[in-house]
Amino acid sequence: MDQEQRISKRELFRNFWRLAKPYWVSEERWRAGALLAAVVALSLGIVYMNVQFNAWYSVFYNTLQNLDAKGFWQAIVKFTWLAGIYIVIAVYANYLQQLLEIRWRRWMTEHFNQRWLDHQGYYRLQLTDKETDNPDQRIAEDINQFVSLTLGLSLGLLRSVVTFVSFVSILWALSGPLSFAFAGRTWEIQGYMLWVALIYAAVGTAITIWIGKPLVGLNFEQQRREANFRFALIRVRENAESIALYEGERQEAHTLRTRFQHVLANALTLIGRQKRLSWFTTFWGQLAIIFPMLVGAPRLFAKEIQLGGLMQIVNAFGKVYDSLEFVISSFNSLAVWKAVIDRLALFERGLFKAGALAVIAPAPAEERFDAAALEVRKPDGRVLLADLAFSLQRGERLLVQGLSGTGKSTLLRTLAGIWPFAQGRTAYPDDALFLSQRPYMPLGTLRELLCYPREVAVDDATLAELLHKVHLPHLAGRLDEVDSWSHILSLGEQQRIAIARALLERPQVLVLDEATSSIDEPTESALYQTLIRDLPGAIMISVGHRSSLRAFHNRFLDCQGEGRWALS
C-alpha cells in the first residue's frame, strides 16, 4: 500500500482529472456548467458582500467612538439590508452547490456501476485484482465523498483566492507605514499589516502540513478497514443459516471482533494525530483573533487611526488570513480527499485491467455447439484441460464428470465466455442459458425471481404451471410477495427455481453446472425428464458427480486432470 500511495501522490492531479473529467464532457455538461457558473457567481457575491461589510465596520465603530447616535442608526439600517442580501446569496449558493453535488454523484455512480457491470467486471475484478477491495464501498461512499469534497474544496479555494485579492489592497491601504529605529537608522515598512498576515499564515500552513502529513495514509487505511468490517457483517447476514447450523457464533464473533479491533486501532492513531493537529490549528486560529489588534493598537494609541479604522484593519487582516490559511482549516478534508482519489483511481485501474482481459467470445451458430483447441488454465497458469474439442448437434446431451479440481466448472465458465485464463474457439446459438450450482436470487417478488433476468411480466397461470413442473406448487400463491428468498428457500428449492427459469426461457443450449446437486435423486430425475420433454431439441451440457445422471445424456466427457480428458 505504501508504494501505491507514493504513486498516487505523484499522480494525484492526473488521477483527479481522470475521475472528474467524464462528467464535465458528458451529455449533462451544459446543465452542469450552468449550475457551476451560478455557484461560482454566488460565491463571488459572498466575497463582494464581505468587502461591503468591511467598509461598514469603519463607519459603525467610528459612530460609536464619536457618540454619533444618528450615524449609529443609519449604520444599523445599512447593516440590515446588507445582511438580508448576504443571507439570500448564501442560501442559494449552498442550495445550488448541493444540487450540483447530487447530479454529479448520480451521474458518476451510474457511470461506475455501468463500468463495473460491463464485461463482467464485477466477476473478473476478483480474479485479477486483489488490491481493489470492497468495490461496493467505493461506489456507494467514495464517489459521494469525492464529489462533495471536490466541490467544497475547489469553491473554498476560489473564495480564498478572490478574498485575498479583494482584501489585500484594503489591508495595504489601511495598515499604513510602520516606522522603527534600528542600527542607527529609521526604517519604514509600507503596508506592514499585510506582511504580518502573509508571514503569520505561512508559518501556520508550514506547521500544519508538518503535523498533519500522516493523516493522508491514516485516512486511506481507515476507509479500507471500515469497509472490511462492514463486509464481514454482510457475510454473516448472507450466510446466517450455515453459521447457525455450524454453531459458528464464537468464530464469527472472533472474526468480527478482530476486524473491528483493526478499525479501532487505526481510528485511535488517526484521532491522536488529529488531536495534535487540532491543538495547533485551534491555538493558531484563536491567536489570529487578537494578533491584529496587538499589532494595530499602537497606531490607535498614537491617534493615527480611529477605532473604526482599527476594526476595519482587524476585519481585513482576518479575511486575508482566512484566505491564506485555507490549507490549515482544510487539511483534514484534503487528507480525506486524497485518500478517496487514491481508492477510486485504484478501482478504476482495476476495472480497466479486468476489462482488457481477453476471453473466448463464442461465435454465433445455429442448432449446434462447437468447441475447438480449448486450453483451460487456473489463474496461476496451471493447465486443467488442453486441446479439448467436441461438437454437439441439436438434441444431444453431454455429461461432464471427473474428480474435484480437474476443471469441470472452469470449463463451463470458459464456454460461457467469462473465464479469462483460456484460449480456443467456441460457437453456439445466442440464446444459450447457463445455470450455476448456487442460483442467484435477486431482491424482489417471487414473480421477478422466476422471470430473472427478463423484465417482461408473465401471467400467473404460466408461472403456476412452471412451479408445479419443478415440484414447488406451494409457492404459486406467493408470486407477488417481496421477501428475502435466498434465505427463505433452501438451496434445493433455489435450484428448482433456476430450472423453472430454463423452462420459461426455452433456450437452444442449456448448460447446468451441478445445478441439481442439492436436489434429491428422484426429484432430480423428474426434473431432467421434464427438461428433455419440454426442450426436446435443446443441446444440454451438464456437470455432475452422480452416476444416475448418465441415463439422461448420450455424450460423455471425463476430465482427468493435468490437461487430460476422454470423450465418448
Side-chain angles (χ1 to χ4, degrees), residues 143-176:
I143 288 177
N144 182 32
Q145 286 191 307
F146 172 78
V147 170
S148 61
L149 288 173
T150 295
L151 283 176
L153 291 171
S154 58
L155 291 172
L157 178 61
L158 173 67
R159 283 193 291 267
S160 296
V161 171
V162 176
T163 298
F164 176 78
V165 172
S166 300
F167 280 90
V168 68
S169 58
I170 296 175
L171 187 57
W172 176 276
L174 290 173
S175 57

Side-chain angles (χ1 to χ4, degrees), residues 38-54 82-97 155-156 158-160 162-164 166-167 315 319:
V39 172
V40 169
L42 290 170
S43 297
L44 297 180
I46 290 175
V47 176
Y48 174 77
M49 294 305 299
N50 285 330
V51 172
Q52 300 305 308
F53 279 120
N54 181 264
L82 283 176
I85 296 173
Y86 180 89
I87 291 170
V88 172
I89 294 175
V91 168
Y92 273 96
N94 184 61
Y95 168 72
L96 293 180
Q97 179 177 333
L155 291 172
L158 173 67
R159 283 193 291 267
S160 296
V162 176
T163 298
F164 176 78
S166 300
F167 280 90
N315 179 257
K319 294 299 181 183

Side-chain angles (χ1 to χ4, degrees), residues 185-212:
R185 292 181 54 187
T186 300
W187 301 82
E188 185 174 272
I189 301 177
Q190 292 292 334
Y192 75 100
M193 287 294 291
L194 174 61
W195 301 114
V196 170
L198 293 174
I199 295 171
Y200 189 87
V203 171
T205 300
I207 296 176
T208 298
I209 293 175
W210 176 66
I211 297 175

Side-chain angles (χ1 to χ4, degrees), residues 297-319:
R299 294 193 66 206
L300 176 68
F301 298 144
K303 297 183 179 180
E304 295 176 5
I305 56 174
Q306 289 187 300
L307 177 62
L310 176 62
M311 298 309 298
Q312 195 175 8
I313 289 174
V314 170
N315 179 257
F317 180 94
K319 294 299 181 183

Side-chain angles (χ1 to χ4, degrees), residues 135-305:
D136 54 306
Q137 188 252 3
R138 302 194 185 206
I139 293 174
E141 294 185 16
D142 288 348
I143 288 177
N144 182 32
Q145 286 191 307
F146 172 78
V147 170
S148 61
L149 288 173
T150 295
L151 283 176
L153 291 171
S154 58
L155 291 172
L157 178 61
L158 173 67
R159 283 193 291 267
S160 296
V161 171
V162 176
T163 298
F164 176 78
V165 172
S166 300
F167 280 90
V168 68
S169 58
I170 296 175
L171 187 57
W172 176 276
L174 290 173
S175 57
L178 175 66
S179 300
F180 61 93
F182 179 72
R185 292 181 54 187
T186 300
W187 301 82
E188 185 174 272
I189 301 177
Q190 292 292 334
Y192 75 100
M193 287 294 291
L194 174 61
W195 301 114
V196 170
L198 293 174
I199 295 171
Y200 189 87
V203 171
T205 300
I207 296 176
T208 298
I209 293 175
W210 176 66
I211 297 175
K213 189 176 181 180
L215 287 174
V216 175
L218 289 170
N219 275 292
F220 185 101
E221 184 64 16
Q222 187 66 21
Q223 288 178 302
R224 189 183 70 83
R225 296 189 183 192
E226 293 278 7
N228 287 341
F229 175 59
R230 185 168 55 252
F231 179 73
L233 291 170
I234 293 172
R235 289 284 295 169
V236 172
R237 186 186 67 186
E238 290 180 343
N239 298 277
E241 182 177 338
S242 297
I243 294 171
L245 291 173
Y246 275 116
E247 296 184 353
E249 294 84 3
R250 180 178 299 177
Q251 180 62 33
E252 295 304 319
H254 173 74
T255 300
L256 294 175
R257 188 183 307 112
T258 300
R259 293 205 172 189
F260 189 60
Q261 285 172 348
H262 292 164
V263 171
L264 291 180
N266 192 78
L268 289 172
T269 305
L270 180 62
I271 63 176
R273 178 61 61 169
Q274 288 174 334
K275 183 187 75 172
R276 293 176 61 183
L277 184 62
S278 295
W279 273 112
F280 174 73
T281 56
T282 304
F283 161 75
W284 207 246
Q286 290 298 309
L287 181 60
I289 297 173
I290 197 71
F291 188 74
M293 292 187 181
L294 296 175
V295 178
R299 294 193 66 206
L300 176 68
F301 298 144
K303 297 183 179 180
E304 295 176 5
I305 56 174

Side-chain angles (χ1 to χ4, degrees), residues 469-509:
K469 287 182 178 180
V470 297
H471 298 230
L472 294 172
H474 58 284
L475 295 177
R478 306 179 64 183
L479 291 174
D480 293 314
E481 287 188 24
V482 177
D483 218 325
S484 181
W485 297 106
S486 60
H487 293 150
I488 291 176
L489 301 176
S490 69
L491 183 55
E493 289 174 319
Q494 293 178 40
Q495 290 182 339
R496 280 180 271 174
I497 291 288
I499 298 295
R501 291 172 183 164
L503 293 171
L504 182 63
E505 290 289 327
R506 304 186 64 81
Q508 294 185 61
V509 175

Side-chain angles (χ1 to χ4, degrees), residues 5 66 103 167 188 231 410 508 533:
Q5 283 184 280
N66 298 330
R103 291 183 174 179
F167 280 90
E188 185 174 272
F231 179 73
T410 308
Q508 294 185 61
R533 183 186 68 245

Side-chain angles (χ1 to χ4, degrees), residues 364-549:
E366 292 294 333
E367 298 187 345
R368 75 178 194 277
F369 193 113
D370 296 328
L374 288 183
E375 181 178 279
V376 182
R377 303 181 303 277
K378 295 180 80 64
D380 60 9
R382 184 164 64 88
V383 176
L384 295 171
L385 294 166
D387 199 27
L388 174 63
F390 62 85
S391 181
L392 301 174
Q393 303 301 316
R394 187 174 185 272
E396 288 193 298
R397 299 180 294 278
L398 174 69
L399 177 62
V400 182
Q401 292 190 307
L403 298 176
S404 297
T406 54
K408 303 183 300 299
S409 294
T410 308
L411 170 61
L412 297 196
R413 299 185 189 111
T414 301
L415 297 177
I418 66 172
W419 187 253
F421 309 105
Q423 60 188 30
R425 301 183 302 278
T426 60
Y428 51 81
D430 292 335
D431 64 343
L433 180 63
F434 289 77
L435 303 183
S436 64
Q437 182 177 9
R438 179 175 287 276
Y440 176 56
M441 298 286 111
L443 302 174
T445 64
L446 182 60
R447 183 190 306 277
E448 292 170 330
L449 245 67
L450 288 165
C451 296
Y452 185 83
R454 298 199 316 179
E455 296 180 358
V456 180
V458 181
D459 62 88
D460 292 4
T462 301
L463 295 180
E465 182 181 359
L466 284 176
L467 290 170
H468 186 270
K469 287 182 178 180
V470 297
H471 298 230
L472 294 172
H474 58 284
L475 295 177
R478 306 179 64 183
L479 291 174
D480 293 314
E481 287 188 24
V482 177
D483 218 325
S484 181
W485 297 106
S486 60
H487 293 150
I488 291 176
L489 301 176
S490 69
L491 183 55
E493 289 174 319
Q494 293 178 40
Q495 290 182 339
R496 280 180 271 174
I497 291 288
I499 298 295
R501 291 172 183 164
L503 293 171
L504 182 63
E505 290 289 327
R506 304 186 64 81
Q508 294 185 61
V509 175
L510 179 60
V511 183
L512 304 96
D513 182 9
E514 299 192 57
T516 57
S517 59
S518 296
I519 301 174
D520 59 276
E521 287 193 23
T523 304
E524 179 185 59
S525 297
L527 291 175
Y528 265 95
Q529 290 171 5
T530 300
L531 287 171
I532 294 171
R533 183 186 68 245
D534 286 19
L535 308 174
I539 299 169
M540 191 180 300
I541 302 176
S542 301
V543 166
H545 292 281
R546 292 174 179 168
S547 58
S548 58
L549 291 176

